Amino acid sequence: MNILLIGCENVGGALLRQWLYNIGYRFTIASPTATGLPVGMKHVTKATQLSLAEFDMVLIAIKHKKLRTCCLNMLFP
């Protein structure tokens, strides 16, 4: 399963740590500020680097107060 995880701070990072080693899950992280990601993890900072057709699931792990700003920064850097 290909999963796009938008946001990888507290909530997104916790989700990733729990699911990381489940067989069959492949993650792409979309976050302008993600650091300390596991080796080999695909990471993008802009939405233009993605094709949503390649994902089976999209998870949004961003605080509601940051959602608008983060989406605008990803779409219009």
Side-chain angles (χ1 to χ4, degrees), residues 9-71:
E9 292 183 11
N10 294 331
V11 174
L15 290 170
L16 181 62
R17 283 189 298 278
Q18 292 299 313
W19 292 337
L20 185 60
Y21 300 106
N22 284 308
I23 296 172
Y25 288 5
R26 289 179 302 278
F27 288 91
T28 297
I29 308 303
S31 173
T33 60
T35 59
L37 296 174
V39 174
M41 183 72 49
K42 184 174 178 184
H43 175 234
V44 299
T45 58
K46 300 178 184 110
T48 55
Q49 297 170 297
L50 298 170
S51 168
L52 289 180
E54 66 185 278
F55 300 105
D56 301 306
M57 182 186 304
V58 176
L59 298 172
I60 301 173
I62 301 171
K63 294 177 185 169
H64 71 280
K65 292 179 182 181
K66 294 183 177 183
L67 186 59
R68 182 171 190 258
T69 301
C70 182
C71 289

